[in-house]
Amino acid sequence: MLLGQLSERVGSSIPFACQDWASTKAAYRFLSNKRVSEEKILAGHFTCTRERFKATSDTTVLVLHDTTEFIYRREESAAIGIVSKLPTRYGSRPRYHTTCGVLMHSSLVVTEHGLPLGLTAIKFWTRDKFHGANALKRRINPTRVPIEQKESYRWLENLRQSTALLQHPERIVHIGDRESDIYELFCIAQEMGTRFLLRTCVDRLAGEGGQTVSDAMEAAPIKGLHRIKVRNRKGETSEAVLELRYRRIRLHPPIGKRKLYPDLDVTVLHATESHPPKDRDRIDWKLITNLPVHSRKDAVEKLRWYAMRWKIETFHKILKSGFKAEEVRLRAAERLVNLIAILCILSWRIFWMTMMNRTTTTAQPDTVFTTTELYLLDQLVRDKPGKSPSESTLTLYMTKLAQLGGYLARAKDPPPGNTVIWRGLSRLTDIQLGFLLRTQLVGN
């Protein structure tokens, strides 16, 4: 019931979504119930994700991993936890502002075409005490700390959970940014028989141990060029020419962990611009993978897969901007986590609807909409004269829904995005409520 109430009023507060005190109180009791947890809330969604994955037959899927923060303004941070301490200047002496909130590490499955199939793992946590990475390095070498005692252990947990849930490790490619450059993660992926494609930030020992990865890649020849379209901060589009280098390299574990982990054979792929552009940052992608790369075509495919990582950023944007997860007034971390877990399901649905419109041309409208919703969309947004019944596709009705949210549907406009979809869905819900009330009062 709570899921339905929040989905009908995207971005609304709990009292506005529930509409009356009894339903609002029931929602608060549900979120604060000790028998309720994010694992139980998301268990059904995870199962459905596995079924959607099985329906994709034998194609490769990408599991995108990333961490995001939910920041809340509270006078007391004890009930929620600490995210960071930011330095602020007060006169001549620096002071530190404590930011409270919740951190979330999520894993999202998408197809090679970008269609999100669902979430496979989510980890929430807060910090009772915050220790900056630089302060930690002054006291102890971070590479000597067991991975189980670090926050980065969540990367390993999500990889294990995602791979076990989907049950076909050979079809999975795990994608992560620089934060995922963890040697233990490479080893676990190798043990589970799954694959990874990650961006590196550590210059590890390679070869016979007398050189690093960067030394080995400097000697690697350019294997090809790849042209892409990029935008600068002003939104202007230009062409970038990337030089592709790739090489199979034997990787060594950190010195303090050589007795615990074996050497690994991996492929290192570098895609860089030879000349820095004037109006934007230089593209410099340094990727590591256990996938084979034998040609320029293979290298371009891996770059395209890594570019899909931005999809999880879009998912987080829907969660924060669409459903306004950071504007919730709940006071305890446990309640916030339960609510965010519910909003994750709704955010995925909005994202799935948007990408269904972009990735498939054969889906029927009833895949997404009910019969009543289809009827209302036909009444609210009229078809062009002469339209045949065969043209009643999902794309047509998604465009009508987006028009309710402010989409202009001009000839050269790109497909509707998430923002107009969630606006249109919220408006359609209100219209449907009025239509049903009118039917009950007046009759068909």
Side-chain angles (χ1 to χ4, degrees):
M1 185 183 295
L2 182 58
L3 193 69
Q5 290 169 335
L6 292 172
S7 67
E8 291 172 356
R9 294 170 177 84
V10 179
S12 302
S13 63
I14 292 177
F16 187 82
C18 295
Q19 292 290 295
D20 60 70
W21 172 238
S23 298
T24 303
K25 187 63 177 178
Y28 288 146
R29 286 174 174 169
F30 173 80
L31 296 173
S32 60
N33 193 320
K34 293 182 179 180
R35 293 178 294 172
V36 176
S37 64
E38 67 272 17
E39 292 89 355
K40 294 180 180 179
I41 291 173
L42 292 166
H45 175 75
F46 291 158
T47 302
C48 293
T49 298
R50 181 174 59 203
E51 296 305 313
R52 285 186 287 268
F53 166 76
K54 290 180 179 179
T56 59
S57 67
D58 297 328
T59 59
T60 297
V61 300
L62 312 177
V63 179
L64 315 178
H65 304 268
D66 197 25
T67 303
T68 190
E69 301 174 350
F70 296 92
I71 307 299
Y72 300 98
R73 295 180 179 273
R74 302 289 191 273
E75 294 182 1
E76 297 292 335
S77 61
I80 295 180
I82 299 172
V83 171
S84 62
K85 284 189 176 182
L86 302 176
T88 57
R89 181 67 61 177
Y90 183 78
S92 60
R93 293 180 298 177
R95 291 188 177 183
Y96 289 88
H97 169 70
T98 301
T99 304
C100 66
V102 176
L103 296 100
M104 181 184 78
H105 185 71
S106 54
S107 302
L108 178 71
V109 185
V110 302
T111 65
E112 292 184 67
H113 301 290
L115 178 66
L117 303 179
L119 296 161
T120 55
I122 283 187
K123 295 290 183 295
F124 293 95
W125 75 100
T126 59
R127 297 164 177 158
D128 295 328
K129 295 181 180 180
F130 182 81
H131 299 284
N134 293 330
L136 179 65
K137 291 177 182 178
R138 298 191 195 104
R139 296 186 291 106
I140 189 172
N141 184 353
T143 61
R144 304 299 176 95
V145 179
I147 187 65
E148 293 80 6
Q149 299 178 17
K150 299 181 179 180
E151 283 189 1
S152 54
Y153 188 60
R154 65 188 181 271
W155 287 91
L156 280 65
E157 292 180 309
N158 275 29
L159 185 144
R160 281 197 190 100
Q161 182 177 331
S162 300
T163 305
L165 176 72
L166 300 180
Q167 299 176 347
H168 291 276
E170 72 283 354
R171 290 179 52 197
I172 304 170
V173 179
H174 296 273
I175 310 289
D177 58 9
R178 292 185 181 95
E179 193 181 1
S180 64
D181 188 3
I182 306 168
Y183 197 86
E184 291 86 343
L185 186 145
F186 307 161
C187 296
I188 289 178
Q190 203 82 348
E191 292 172 7
M192 300 190 72
T194 190
R195 301 171 291 177
F196 61 83
L197 176 62
L198 313 170
R199 194 170 180 182
T200 64
C201 66
V202 180
D203 193 12
R204 303 185 184 279
L205 293 175
E208 300 299 326
Q211 63 176 347
T212 62
V213 172
S214 61
D215 296 332
M217 292 305 294
E218 284 182 5
I222 298 175
K223 299 294 183 68
L225 301 177
H226 181 49
R227 300 177 186 274
I228 59 173
K229 296 290 185 180
V230 293
R231 290 183 180 180
N232 58 19
R233 295 183 180 89
K234 298 180 180 179
E236 300 169 343
T237 304
S238 61
E239 185 179 71
V241 180
L242 305 181
E243 296 178 346
L244 304 180
R245 293 180 173 88
Y246 49 89
R247 186 173 184 178
R248 195 72 176 172
I249 294 176
R250 176 166 285 271
L251 210 61
H252 301 289
I255 294 176
K257 300 180 180 180
R258 286 188 173 179
K259 295 181 180 180
L260 302 175
Y261 304 102
D263 297 344
L264 296 175
D265 291 323
V266 298
T267 300
V268 178
L269 168 62
H270 285 188
T272 58
E273 287 184 282
S274 57
H275 303 290
K278 297 180 181 180
D279 55 351
R280 57 177 174 79
D281 295 334
R282 176 172 172 258
I283 297 176
D284 185 16
W285 281 7
K286 298 179 179 179
L287 308 179
I288 186 170
T289 180
N290 57 354
L291 292 161
V293 179
H294 300 302
S295 63
R296 175 188 173 277
K297 181 180 178 181
D298 291 342
V300 171
E301 179 186 56
K302 304 307 178 288
L303 294 177
R304 182 172 56 82
W305 285 356
Y306 182 77
M308 286 287 178
R309 199 200 69 82
W310 194 253
K311 297 294 182 183
I312 198 168
E313 303 286 1
T314 303
F315 166 72
H316 291 158
K317 177 184 177 182
I318 299 171
L319 190 57
K320 295 181 180 182
S321 299
F323 287 94
K324 303 186 186 306
E326 292 183 308
E327 298 182 15
V328 178
R329 302 304 301 171
L330 298 174
R331 297 182 180 179
E334 293 78 8
R335 301 177 186 180
L336 288 168
V337 165
N338 288 337
L339 179 60
I340 293 172
I342 294 174
L343 298 181
C344 281
I345 301 174
L346 300 177
S347 299
W348 165 79
R349 183 171 181 267
I350 295 290
F351 195 17
W352 172 76
M353 291 174 63
T354 303
M355 294 308 299
M356 275 288 289
N357 182 39
R358 300 186 182 192
T359 59
T360 180
T361 58
T362 59
Q364 296 301 311
D366 56 8
T367 307
V368 174
F369 299 103
T370 64
T371 303
T372 302
E373 289 172 337
L374 294 174
Y375 171 78
L376 290 175
L377 288 172
D378 282 334
Q379 298 302 314
L380 294 167
V381 184
R382 292 295 183 179
D383 296 322
K384 296 180 180 179
K387 183 185 76 66
S388 63
S390 61
E391 296 177 1
S392 298
T393 61
L394 176 62
T395 299
L396 174 66
Y397 284 97
M398 288 297 295
T399 302
K400 290 183 177 183
L401 177 68
Q403 286 181 270
L404 295 182
Y407 180 65
L408 299 178
R410 295 169 294 187
K412 295 184 179 181
D413 283 344
N418 297 287
T419 301
V420 291
I421 292 297
W422 78 57
R423 286 176 184 167
L425 194 62
S426 181
R427 188 179 176 201
L428 179 62
T429 300
D430 292 336
I431 294 171
Q432 185 177 4
L433 177 62
F435 173 77
L436 294 176
L437 289 174
R438 175 257 181 195
T439 303
Q440 294 174 6
L441 295 173
V442 181
N444 294 327

